[in-house]
Amino acid sequence: MVERIAVLGAGTMGQGIAQIAATSGLDTCLHDLSEDALERARTQIEQMVQKGIDKGKLPDDTLAELQQKLRYDVDPTTAVADCDCVVEAIFEDLDLKAKVLGAVAENVSEECLLASNTSSLSITGIAARVPAPGRVVGMHFFNPVPIMALVEVVRGVDSADAHVQRTVELAKRLGKEPIVVRDTPGFATSRLGLVIGLEAMRMLESGVASAVEIDKAMELGYRHPMGPLKLTDLVGLDVRLAIAEHLHKEIGEQFRPPAILRNMVRAGRLGRKSGRGFYDW
Ligand code: CAA
């Protein structure tokens, strides 16, 4: 049973994971190397919880419970002390993830589950550089984490059955519906989701229709809750570019990043988080 959890990285995904862990009753620590990032995270998490309360989705005492269960720590050693599970939600870079989880492994017990929220990178590749790799699994959440029901549990070549099972149980405890997938590039979700996103960008590039019309096509014609370009703004263009580059290398031509995506990232148009992407936010 997981009772103490640390979440590494206070970006959008880390905030969401820390929020649901704390409101599910786990002793939770959110870690980032910058005090500013942690302070921003605190404000955004508390706003999200308040929104849930205002909408009648969360009980009135959720904010108080969150504040009691969630702490923030810039020190990477004390953040993970005595944890049963550490989830990393840092930038989509295999070397960085392996380095960070490798360092965590020095400061936790061999029983501590080491989970990566990667959207597409190899869990096997990360685990290979971490001592006792059987405890490394993928735990892929979706944005916005408190609302999206799915967790994709990724079984690496060396992931031990017992740790995969613990991850499934943890996902359920967090109120999520887990699926277990084999470690292949992009798993089940990013591989399919990105095909639509990249094709929508190519359609915009070649003038098939405007961003609003392409999104409306999928929202009204296919009942997607959000069109693929708006969704790219929500996920972050930089995040989608990193996934596309990886899948292009691993799977093939259908994932080649369109020029429009590269150019927008170069221009700092990263989507909702930067105030501008395919839309102005
Ligand atoms: N806490 C709990 N529940 C909340 C909440 C909160 N703070 N805020 C809103 N909710 C609830 C609402 O009450 C509502 O519930 P009901 O449907 O039961 O009424 C539901 O969540 C939706 O909320 P809203 O009405 O505020 O918002 P919306 O209807 O405009 O939907 C959305 C917003 C959920 C983002 C929706 O547009 C959507 O599902 N978009 C697609 C998101 C998606 O595909 N995400 C995956 C991205 S890919 C990814 O993340 C993986 C990766 O690796 C990059």
Side-chain angles (χ1 to χ4, degrees):
M1 266 284 267
V2 170
E3 290 300 338
R4 273 178 87 88
I5 188 167
V7 180
L8 312 182
T12 310
M13 299 305 285
Q15 288 174 23
I17 299 165
Q19 176 187 324
I20 59 165
T23 57
S24 302
L26 301 182
D27 287 315
T28 307
C29 180
L30 180 59
H31 163 74
D32 201 286
L33 291 172
S34 133
E35 291 275 8
D36 283 352
L38 286 181
E39 209 34 60
R40 231 180 357 259
R42 184 199 300 271
T43 307
Q44 284 167 352
I45 291 171
E46 294 190 358
Q47 278 169 356
M48 185 68 178
V49 168
Q50 192 56 53
K51 188 172 150 205
I53 295 170
D54 294 344
K55 282 181 170 265
K57 290 286 159 187
L58 301 172
D60 287 350
D61 58 0
T62 310
L63 189 55
E65 190 195 340
L66 174 103
Q67 285 164 342
Q68 202 201 338
K69 286 292 190 181
L70 178 55
R71 67 187 185 89
Y72 302 82
D73 194 342
V74 280
D75 183 324
T77 307
T78 54
V80 301
D82 303 323
C83 277
D84 315 304
C85 174
V86 176
V87 183
E88 70 74 20
I90 61 177
F91 194 71
E92 200 68 358
D93 175 313
L94 191 140
D95 287 338
L96 190 62
K97 285 176 188 287
K99 197 169 137 210
V100 166
L101 286 182
V104 168
E106 308 274 311
N107 294 304
V108 295
S109 83
E110 283 215 359
E111 283 311 299
C112 179
L113 193 61
L114 300 179
S116 169
N117 178 53
T118 178
S119 316
S120 63
L121 298 174
S122 168
I123 294 300
T124 308
I126 296 171
R129 290 156 59 180
V130 174
R135 58 188 161 159
V136 178
V137 285
M139 195 173 192
H140 183 202
F141 291 84
F142 296 83
N143 184 6
V145 176
I147 299 174
M148 303 302 283
L150 184 70
V151 167
E152 193 173 36
V153 174
V154 185
R155 181 197 291 275
V157 167
D158 289 320
S159 304
D161 287 346
H163 289 304
V164 172
Q165 193 49 38
R166 281 174 80 203
T167 314
V168 165
E169 280 156 22
L170 173 61
K172 289 183 183 161
R173 168 109 190 257
L174 300 179
K176 303 299 181 193
E177 185 79 44
I179 56 167
V180 178
V181 303
R182 204 159 56 81
D183 185 20
T184 51
F187 317 129
T189 51
S190 302
R191 182 165 170 178
L192 282 175
L194 208 67
V195 167
I196 298 177
L198 296 176
E199 200 57 28
M201 292 173 215
R202 283 189 269 269
M203 285 162 61
L204 182 65
E205 238 171 13
S206 63
V208 171
S210 68
V212 172
E213 284 161 331
I214 291 169
D215 279 345
K216 204 180 264 184
M218 297 312 283
E219 287 162 14
L220 302 185
Y222 279 70
R223 277 213 184 192
H224 287 195
M226 195 177 244
L229 298 169
K230 211 180 289 167
L231 181 60
T232 302
D233 272 6
L234 175 73
V235 169
L237 275 71
D238 52 338
V239 174
R240 280 213 135 168
L241 176 59
I243 300 170
E245 281 173 336
H246 176 62
L247 295 187
H248 179 226
K249 202 166 66 194
E250 293 284 330
I251 300 179
E253 211 37 43
Q254 70 266 43
F255 291 100
R256 178 185 290 281
I260 191 173
L261 177 61
R262 287 196 187 285
N263 281 334
M264 287 174 72
V265 171
R266 274 189 205 113
R269 289 176 60 168
L270 305 183
R272 195 151 88 169
K273 63 187 169 192
S274 74
R276 199 161 174 221
F278 293 102
Y279 296 83
D280 288 335
W281 292 86

